[in-house]
């Protein structure tokens, strides 16, 4: 034990070996954490927030708090106590008015959301749509769907394209003027300034500050559903998650019209589809029209091969040779990274 006093000479080498292992393991953890440590030191120096021992989400939350109060002149301690509590949320109050579908299946989906009233966010949404043989699952956290497990490849006749919405949650809020009710319009202005500062820092090569602003932007959605946060407003949470799913479903419905197309996956902020190479211009036109309508931006990756277990477990190889692996395929993932 650590409190023993009757240690023999023979035990000392074993104790030193044990201690050395602890020190070396701590050093290895330190090396893997250097980027996170530098981020925290820089933010502490730049904004005076004592964040060296904070989680990513707390850093994001507190950075927003400071920037919001700096922008509005509000008292930090007053803002920290504010919340927008909701006894119930009628989802038709948050659904964007231009969302619509042509197919019976997706029209029924919209009716489901339009008539849904919730009293809590956890597990409040459970709905599925089967459209052209592909099953779309809807929940509080987002949309999910996956083709049956197998190996899917591009070839001379077919191409696999993945389209992800750039910064879906922040973009939805800013583009559609969704705001935390007790923070008002100034919240959207602060949110926009965070995105602008991130892009400016990234362009200047200051990846530390860029990452800090990214934490701030990405923390809003989760914290808006956390009663312990000054960002708490579950109606805002639902405005983001409901419209995110419905808008991506609009894109999926249009893309599935492409002749001989096969939807492979849909997951929160993106859709992967296999289409005839000759119809890639049609794919591009559909995506461009969707971007123009939603004011959101899509980012594309072309895959040469996908090995799919399910929506959370797959390996994808880009045409440039980069490997994207998720779930049980993450053989080289560092815990905590």
């Amino acid at each position: 034990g650590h409190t023993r006093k009757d240690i023999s000479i023979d035990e000392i080498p074993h104790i030193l070996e044990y201690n050395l292992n602890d020190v070396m393991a701590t050093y290895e953890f330190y090396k893997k954490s250097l980027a996170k440590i530098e981020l925290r030191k820089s933010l502490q120096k730049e904004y005076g927030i004592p964040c060296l021992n904070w989680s990513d989400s707390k850093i994001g939350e507190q950075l927003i708090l400071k920037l919001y109060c700096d922008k509005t002149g509000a008292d930090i301690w007053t803002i920290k106590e504010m919340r927008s509590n909701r006894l119930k949320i009628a989802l038709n109050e948050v659904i964007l008015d231009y969302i619509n579908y042509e197919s019976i299946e997706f029209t029924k989906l919209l009716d489901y959301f339009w008539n849904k009233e919730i009293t809590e966010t956890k597990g409040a949404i459970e709905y599925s749509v089967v459209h052209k043989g592909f099953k779309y699952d809807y929940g509080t956290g987002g949309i999910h769907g996956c083709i049956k497990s197998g190996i899917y490849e591009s070839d001379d006749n077919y191409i696999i394209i993945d389209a992800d919405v750039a910064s879906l949650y922040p973009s939805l809020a800013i583009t559609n003027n969704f705001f935390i009710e007790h923070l008002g319009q100034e919240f959207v202005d602060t949110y926009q300034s965070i995105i602008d500062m991130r892009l400016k820092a990234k362009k200047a090569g200051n990846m530390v500050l860029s990452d800090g602003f990214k934490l701030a932007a990405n923390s809003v959605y989760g914290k808006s559903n956390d009663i312990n946060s000054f960002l708490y407003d579950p109606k805002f949470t639902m405005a983001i998650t409901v419209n995110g799913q419905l808008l991506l479903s609009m894109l999926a419905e249009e893309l599935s019209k492409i002749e001989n197309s096969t939807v492979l996956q849909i997951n929160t902020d993106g859709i992967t589809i296999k289409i005839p190479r000759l119809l890639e211009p049609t794919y591009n036109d559909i995506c461009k029209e969707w971007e123009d309508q939603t004011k959101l931006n899509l980012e594309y990756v072309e895959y040469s091969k996908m090995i799919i277990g399910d929506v959370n477990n797959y390996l994808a190889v880009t045409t440039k040779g980069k490997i994207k692996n998720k779930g049980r395929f993450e053989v080289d993932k560092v815990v905590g990274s």
Side-chain angles (χ1 to χ4, degrees):
H2 295 293
T3 58
R4 276 182 54 202
K5 296 180 180 179
D6 56 335
I7 298 171
S8 69
I9 295 295
D10 292 339
E11 289 178 296
I12 291 177
H14 298 292
I15 294 171
L16 291 176
E17 182 183 357
Y18 181 88
N19 289 347
L20 179 61
N21 180 70
D22 269 7
V23 171
M24 295 308 295
T26 302
Y27 179 59
E28 287 300 315
F29 183 73
Y30 162 76
K31 286 196 294 184
K32 292 184 184 300
S33 303
L34 268 175
K36 290 181 178 289
I37 293 170
E38 287 305 312
L39 167 64
R40 283 153 175 77
K41 286 166 68 175
S42 294
L43 291 175
Q44 188 163 316
K45 181 179 179 181
E46 186 81 17
Y47 294 102
I49 52 176
C51 58
L52 195 59
N53 205 33
W54 288 359
S55 67
D56 287 356
S57 60
K58 184 174 180 181
I59 289 174
E61 177 190 36
Q62 295 303 310
L63 185 53
I64 287 176
L65 176 63
K66 175 164 177 54
L67 293 172
Y68 177 83
C69 290
D70 286 349
K71 190 175 188 69
T72 62
D75 175 65
I76 282 183
W77 295 102
T78 300
I79 297 298
K80 283 179 76 170
E81 296 302 314
M82 297 179 75
R83 307 284 188 277
S84 284
N85 296 296
R86 308 285 183 180
L87 292 176
K88 62 181 180 180
I89 302 168
L91 296 187
N92 58 24
E93 294 179 4
V94 304
I95 294 174
L96 294 167
D97 57 13
Y98 65 83
I99 291 175
N100 67 84
Y101 305 99
E102 294 178 21
S103 65
I104 294 172
E105 299 94 335
F106 282 119
T107 300
K108 286 181 178 179
L109 166 75
L110 184 56
D111 289 342
Y112 167 81
F113 276 102
W114 188 262
N115 294 302
K116 185 78 171 173
E117 188 173 86
I118 65 174
T119 54
E120 62 176 356
T121 54
K122 187 176 181 180
I125 297 172
E126 285 186 24
Y127 195 84
S128 295
V129 166
V130 177
H131 178 65
K132 295 192 174 182
F134 187 90
K135 185 183 178 191
Y136 300 82
D137 294 317
Y138 300 83
T140 307
I143 186 174
H144 296 88
C146 189
I147 198 169
K148 67 179 182 179
S149 61
I151 298 174
Y152 300 88
E153 298 182 83
S154 294
D155 55 32
D156 291 342
N157 298 315
Y158 285 87
I159 183 174
I160 297 173
I161 311 176
D162 178 81
D164 279 342
V165 186
S167 304
L168 174 61
Y169 291 167
S171 298
L172 271 174
I174 292 167
T175 301
N176 297 290
N177 207 41
F178 296 149
F179 54 82
I180 311 289
E181 187 166 299
H182 57 272
L183 299 180
Q185 176 64 48
E186 292 86 356
F187 167 78
V188 180
D189 299 338
T190 303
Y191 214 176
Q192 179 68 67
S193 69
I194 287 169
I195 302 297
D196 293 343
M197 288 188 290
R198 187 195 172 211
L199 292 175
K200 185 177 179 181
K202 192 174 183 179
K203 189 174 182 180
N206 189 340
M207 297 311 296
V208 171
L209 277 185
S210 173
D211 288 347
F213 294 133
K214 183 178 180 180
L215 290 181
N218 290 343
S219 69
V220 172
Y221 171 77
K223 291 295 183 181
S224 70
N225 200 31
D226 179 358
I227 189 64
N228 297 308
S229 175
F230 79 97
L231 292 167
Y232 182 68
D233 182 357
K235 187 174 181 179
F236 173 90
T237 313
M238 299 314 296
I240 295 295
T241 193
V242 167
N243 286 296
Q245 295 179 82
L246 294 178
L247 291 176
L248 207 56
S249 297
M250 283 175 58
L251 179 60
E253 183 184 53
E254 290 301 311
L255 290 177
S256 64
K257 292 178 183 176
I258 298 175
E259 189 177 357
N260 294 321
S261 64
T262 305
V263 178
L264 300 183
Q265 286 189 338
I266 191 164
N267 190 4
T268 307
D269 60 356
I271 180 170
T272 312
I273 190 168
K274 186 175 181 179
I275 61 169
R277 284 188 180 274
L278 291 175
L279 295 179
E280 189 175 356
T282 303
Y283 172 93
N284 293 332
D285 289 344
I286 290 170
C287 290
K288 179 65 167 61
E289 187 174 332
W290 185 86
E291 287 180 312
D292 290 342
Q293 186 176 23
T294 64
K295 304 298 184 287
L296 300 171
N297 296 311
L298 293 168
E299 298 174 335
Y300 305 96
V301 179
E302 185 180 332
Y303 294 139
S304 60
K305 178 187 289 189
M306 290 191 77
I307 303 170
I308 298 175
D310 55 46
V311 74
N312 296 313
N313 297 279
Y314 66 89
L315 183 147
V317 183
T318 73
T319 51
K320 296 181 179 179
K322 187 176 180 182
I323 296 175
K324 179 180 180 181
N325 39 17
K326 291 287 185 181
R328 59 176 174 266
F329 291 94
E330 295 179 273
V331 292
D332 58 351
K333 181 172 182 179
V334 176
V335 176
S337 64

